[in-house]
Amino acid sequence: MALLTRCGLLNVRTKNLAQIRHYASQAINQMIQLQHTEICADPPSRGLVLGVYAEEDDKNDTGILTPAAWRYNVQKTAGRLLEVLRMSGPMPKVGEARLLFAQETEKIPYYSAVAMIGLGKECLGFNAYEVLDEQKEAIRRSVAKACMDLALLDTDRIEVENCGHAESAAEGAALGVWAYQELRDAKKRLAVPSIDLYTHKDEVCDIEGWRIGLQKAAAQNLARQLQEMPSNILTPTAFAQNVVEVLCKSGVNVEVKVEGWAESQMMNAFLSVGKASCEPPIFLELSYYGTSSEERPIVLVGQGLTYDCGGLCLKDKQDLFEMRGDVTGAAVVVAACRAIANLRLPVNIRGLIPVCENVIGCNAFRPGDTVKTMNGKHIKIQGTDHEDVLVLADTLLYAQNFCPKTIISVGTTSRAMHQTLGEAASGVFTNSEILWQQIKHASMHTGDRVWRMPLWWYFTSEITAGASSDVQNYGVGTGGRPCKAAAFLKEFVPCGQWMHIDATNVMTTNGRNFEYLRRGMAGRPTRTLIEFIAQSICKDTAPKMPRKGK
């Protein structure tokens, strides 16, 4: 009996011990899991971009936080943010960002990293000497640098305060994090975080300005993407397919016209350029109606050479590497049309894009050839490497069919622009003082500047000096190549207001002059063209010529 009792007690003790071990195991597992969560967990990584004003030349300037930064400093960090920022050294300059970690008083901070950006002096504004709104450009440069630094930390989401101008902040952020990497291994691509506007319930939120900035930046990024695509992938046919896919979703109508149509229109100058290529030339006609169909449209003409080796007059090896970017004019027009449609601007737009390749082949056009254009003028081809103006000439003549209010052509028509303006500004040629004032004001706002170049009779006389033809695509004399190209185009412009933007020198960027543009294709001057069209709609703010007698 005692033995049975002892065995029963042993069974009970064993059972209780097993239960205790089971409960202890659960408790230990929970403790280990909690420690593992606190130490090794990977919560969503959020970054925050805040601004500080400081005099750049004064290293002892303690800085003034923006209203949003000051509110965050007081409410979330109990003053620690500003204290640590001042301890970390001189205030960041324009185009600089300083990353601070674990600033919030909570055990698990909502923002894992805070980037403090330099906005320069608090009173920055329009600089007449630089022809630039320095405050807006400082915001773009600094916000872009901060977002690029935070992206290197694999930040999932970045919130950006408006820094005094939400549109510029959005442009800097979206342009800065973008990179062309579609052809890279997905595991090796740069992280592209989502971008949002940092807001507070006690603050007025400029969500409309933020949205406009994102649309402009997305348009420029689209232009950069089209420029960067290799020419063996982005052939004229592939370019047309991409345009149809991109624009039709935005409500822009796209008509794809083939070589036979161009022949029926007597576009001999355009067709001569693409003769040597196995890829047939294509002509794209874009149309967007944002107002009454009776309203005369603004016609945008974009030069679309998906590759340009110079033909029989072969370009230098170094130049050949970047000649996929000769599609810049077409890319800018496509991107601008999409942004105009997405912003629903009340304007009618007609986009005309001749697309072809200028390569070497048995059927290539040759120096000394003469072609007849739509208006009956004969062009003598002095060099096949100056084919840009030939592509645009027929298109400008075709533009008169739409009774345009304004014609704006965009292209890369002269390599000499590099020596003239560098990356500082696009060259503008126009027969209208009003158009020049409008595009200049637009470029002040966007930071993507333009500079007016002469369109004098002197240059016209040099491209019409030949006795055997009406015009020549190079002209006589030395120097003034960009002006000669514009003078050539002027010979084929119908009556009315016309402006040509030469974007050759801003086609690429070195990645240093503008913090919000990585090295490579730049997508300029997309934002300036969009802003120009938006401002031209506002009749009250558009520049006007002074009346005679006043």
Side-chain angles (χ1 to χ4, degrees), residues 360-379:
I360 297 176
C362 60
N363 199 33
F365 70 129
R366 297 147 293 194
D369 286 358
T370 301
V371 293
K372 185 178 180 180
T373 59
M374 293 171 61
N375 65 348
K377 287 188 177 182
H378 288 82
I379 302 173

Side-chain angles (χ1 to χ4, degrees), residues 322-548:
E322 296 178 345
M323 281 301 102
R324 67 190 185 281
D326 226 28
V327 76
T328 293
V332 168
V333 169
V334 170
C337 286
R338 189 183 73 168
I340 291 166
N342 289 342
L343 293 172
R344 298 183 179 180
L345 297 183
V347 62
N348 293 339
I349 297 292
R350 185 74 64 160
L352 306 176
I353 303 175
V355 189
C356 65
E357 292 178 335
N358 182 26
V359 296
I360 297 176
C362 60
N363 199 33
F365 70 129
R366 297 147 293 194
D369 286 358
T370 301
V371 293
K372 185 178 180 180
T373 59
M374 293 171 61
N375 65 348
K377 287 188 177 182
H378 288 82
I379 302 173
K380 186 171 184 178
I381 299 168
Q382 295 173 302
T384 61
D385 56 336
H386 297 291
E387 81 300 328
D388 315 271
V389 291
L390 300 176
V391 170
L392 291 173
D394 282 327
T395 312
L396 290 171
L397 291 170
Y398 179 70
Q400 65 186 343
N401 294 332
F402 306 102
C403 192
K405 181 163 50 177
T406 303
I407 299 176
I408 304 169
S409 55
V410 186
T412 50
T413 49
S414 176
R415 298 287 294 174
M417 286 296 297
H418 285 285
Q419 289 74 37
T420 307
L421 293 174
E423 288 186 36
S426 305
V428 168
F429 303 83
T430 180
N431 59 6
S432 169
E433 180 66 24
I434 292 179
L435 289 184
W436 161 241
Q437 292 296 332
Q438 287 178 336
I439 195 74
K440 183 177 73 170
H441 290 177
S443 70
M444 294 174 190
H445 174 74
T446 63
D448 190 357
R449 290 177 291 187
V450 296
W451 191 253
R452 190 174 190 179
M453 305 287 286
L455 196 62
W456 297 330
W457 172 255
Y458 173 87
F459 302 108
T460 302
S461 64
E462 291 200 330
I463 58 102
T464 58
S468 61
S469 63
D470 298 305
V471 288
Q472 304 167 89
N473 74 328
Y474 187 83
V476 299
T478 58
R481 178 61 209 151
C483 301
K484 290 179 184 177
F488 178 96
L489 295 177
K490 185 182 177 183
E491 292 296 299
F492 301 92
V493 175
C495 296
Q497 295 188 354
W498 163 70
M499 177 169 62
H500 174 64
I501 303 176
D502 192 337
T504 309
N505 57 311
V506 299
M507 181 179 76
T508 60
T509 181
N510 57 20
R512 300 187 303 272
N513 292 333
F514 303 94
E515 285 83 355
Y516 46 86
L517 295 177
R518 299 180 191 269
R519 182 179 180 180
M521 298 296 169
R524 299 169 62 189
T526 304
R527 288 182 298 113
T528 295
L529 183 59
I530 297 168
E531 182 64 24
F532 162 79
I533 293 173
Q535 288 189 8
S536 65
I537 299 170
C538 304
K539 297 181 180 179
D540 294 337
T541 60
K544 298 178 177 62
M545 291 293 292
R547 294 182 180 180
K548 294 182 179 180

Side-chain angles (χ1 to χ4, degrees), residues 126 198 228 458 507:
F126 174 69
Y198 175 71
E228 288 282 11
Y458 173 87
M507 181 179 76

